[in-house]
Amino acid sequence: MKKKMVSALLLTSMLAGMFSGCGKTQAGGGAVNEDGIKEFTAFFAVPGSEINDDNEIQQIIAEKTGCKVKETWLTGQTAEEAIGTLIAGGEYPDFVEAGNGSVQMYEAGALVALDDYIDKYPNIKEFFTEQEWDQLRQSDGHIYWIPQFSNIYGEERVCTHNDEAFWIQTRVLKWANYPKIETMDEYFDLIEAYNEANPTMEDGTENIPYTILCEDWRYFCLENAPEFLDGYPNDGSVIVDPEKKEIIDYNTTPTAKKYFQKLNEEYKKGIVDPESFTQTYDEYIAKLSSGRVLGMIDQWWDFAYTAEDAIKTAGLEDEGCKYVPLPITIEKGMKNQWHNSGGVLNVSSGLAITTSCKDVEGALQFVNDLLDQDVHNLRMWGVEGVDYNVDENGMFYRTEEQRARSADTAYKASHACGYSYFPQWDGTSRDGKNAMKPAGQEAEFYDGLADTVKECFDAYGAKTYVEMLGTSPAPGPWYPMYTYSSTMTTSTPGGTAWTMMGEIKHQYLPKVVMADDFEKGWDEYMKEYSKCKPEDFIAEMQTELERRITEAAKYE
């Protein structure tokens, strides 16, 4: 409690200073600085890395758009706590991505309705279809935020698997002569065997066979694997039976019990990191960055731009410390759906403009300008001739030196400016040739891989991370259901149940994994879980599933 109180006081002080402003880089609100550039402020309720005040590409973008944004990220609190602190203070940044606190901001009347503005900004208008814009309307019928991610322009270009998977280092697979791994049992058997034969890294550092990230909302790394293991896609909070159009609770399936029993067995063997249930996100990333961790479940975006870059910079990719995904299911022969085609519209949160912003039109013009192709290229590719080159056919490519710089933490802070939590495109550039992002440029992606990863892909007949898993068709119009559950509050029985379910899982799942007597631990967990009345949650999710199917039919 004391730690949270100190964090709250620090955040209040930090944000108050930032949003009240004093001096050139802190003005905000669209005020014009001495260089004639409008300055806005933004707070993102997720951890992130701040860039230098004199960042080179941010300055180039400012010269092109006439605007720049001072970005601040979550530190030391949950999203709900940080947003609660903002609401209590009554002063806000110009932009906010409130994450799980988005509904709090909406209910507090802190956000600007965007409906009357959208048509004025063609790049913003183009970002979604009419159906998708309608999906973003809140209970009062208005639109308050713009989801930033997974929008595909033109042809889909996917090389990385940006989502959840069982990840494993290439050195483990190489040691076993690249075996076919399909089940959870095979996955852990391989990690056990490798670690027994190779307990340390080349420098003598002891391996961590398997670790689990459980901090705050990231405990999906522990709790939601059963839906994937049963061959379903990432609806996040539930399983949807696509034939019966029925909601299934993945927390109570036979596969859920098998999964946690396996973790329990591996914990007792010393394979599961004993610090899994107490480590912070930063500690987890530090472990991955060291190259010590052989495997884990996580979302690619949660570790790739920190740990994977650190592994590259440290030269550990040459030792086989890079991660690749495996198509794991509970039994052999099952179709996996770890990767689905198409984008994901997460209606539960996005970039919003607050009522403290004094220049809403200027703020939206900046968002619109960030989606211009030349500015988008600066954000995602960098400066031509510095960060990438263009061949005689107009195709973008990078040298090995340029790739190395793009992964260097200091270089990114001083030079790169992705405005990463503002709207952005995946897919194909408006030139019809290049990918919107380097990760989608097939030739550049493959050329930029470590030799150890190329060797691994070649052994499995793959050219990309996605091909290691296979691609399933986009799920139905309800997908993903987590965009509804993440907006639920205790104002309904289902929302109350959802909150209690999360609390019980946070409390009991680590105990289940560490239990001396698994059956006893599981029974105690199920007893407490049933007291949450998950049936109320399931019922409300079923209602939402049916609503989404009905709404989608209107646009057919």
Side-chain angles (χ1 to χ4, degrees), residues 428-500:
T428 304
S429 169
R430 291 177 177 86
D431 66 12
K433 300 177 181 179
N434 291 289
M436 284 287 190
K437 300 176 182 178
Q441 192 91 331
E442 295 84 355
E444 165 58 28
F445 168 80
Y446 189 78
D447 289 345
L449 291 174
D451 288 341
T452 50
V453 178
K454 287 180 181 177
E455 179 183 320
C456 178
F457 283 176
D458 290 346
Y460 289 102
K463 288 289 187 183
T464 68
Y465 290 93
V466 172
E467 290 179 9
M468 289 289 290
L469 298 169
T471 300
S472 296
W478 58 82
Y479 182 81
M481 292 300 294
Y482 66 75
T483 63
Y484 182 73
S485 56
S486 60
T487 67
M488 297 176 85
T489 68
T490 54
S491 62
T492 68
T496 299
W498 174 239
T499 299
M500 294 175 64

Side-chain angles (χ1 to χ4, degrees), residues 40-55:
F40 294 97
T41 55
F43 174 65
F44 307 119
V46 294
S49 300
E50 294 193 25
I51 60 176
N52 298 350
D53 288 340
D54 59 352
N55 180 279

Side-chain angles (χ1 to χ4, degrees), residues 87-117:
I87 292 171
E91 289 188 36
Y92 309 105
D94 302 304
F95 294 102
V96 67
E97 158 58 278
N100 290 342
S102 296
V103 173
Q104 285 177 265
M105 291 286 283
Y106 163 64
E107 292 180 343
L111 304 179
V112 173
L114 304 177
D115 309 48
D116 293 339
Y117 296 97

Side-chain angles (χ1 to χ4, degrees), residues 58-123:
Q58 185 180 54
Q59 186 56 36
I60 296 172
I61 292 174
E63 291 167 0
K64 282 181 170 289
T65 65
C67 297
K68 68 188 301 185
V69 177
K70 175 65 176 176
E71 301 171 303
T72 301
W73 306 83
L74 184 68
T75 54
Q77 288 186 304
T78 66
E80 292 89 340
E81 289 167 345
I83 295 305
T85 301
L86 277 179
I87 292 171
E91 289 188 36
Y92 309 105
D94 302 304
F95 294 102
V96 67
E97 158 58 278
N100 290 342
S102 296
V103 173
Q104 285 177 265
M105 291 286 283
Y106 163 64
E107 292 180 343
L111 304 179
V112 173
L114 304 177
D115 309 48
D116 293 339
Y117 296 97
I118 291 171
D119 286 345
K120 300 177 183 178
Y121 304 95
N123 290 343

Side-chain angles (χ1 to χ4, degrees), residues 32 47 66 79 106 170 188 225 230 265 307 322 382 385 419 425 465 473 495 536 543:
V32 178
Y106 163 64
T170 59
F188 280 109
D230 271 333
E265 292 170 2
K322 284 276 193 173
Y419 280 120
W425 286 108
Y465 290 93
D536 290 344
T543 299

Side-chain angles (χ1 to χ4, degrees), residues 10 72 157 175 203 236 261 280 329 350 369 424 444 465 540 551 556:
L10 285 172
T72 301
R157 308 276 285 274
W175 172 81
D203 65 358
Q261 187 166 19
T280 65
T329 52
D369 292 344
Q424 56 197 258
E444 165 58 28
Y465 290 93
E540 290 186 19
E551 285 297 312
E556 292 178 353

Side-chain angles (χ1 to χ4, degrees), residues 194-216:
Y194 177 86
N195 194 62
E196 183 177 358
N198 307 273
T200 67
M201 299 174 65
E202 291 181 9
D203 65 358
T205 303
E206 187 175 349
N207 291 325
I208 299 172
Y210 186 85
T211 196
I212 308 169
L213 176 59
C214 298
E215 187 184 37
D216 193 31

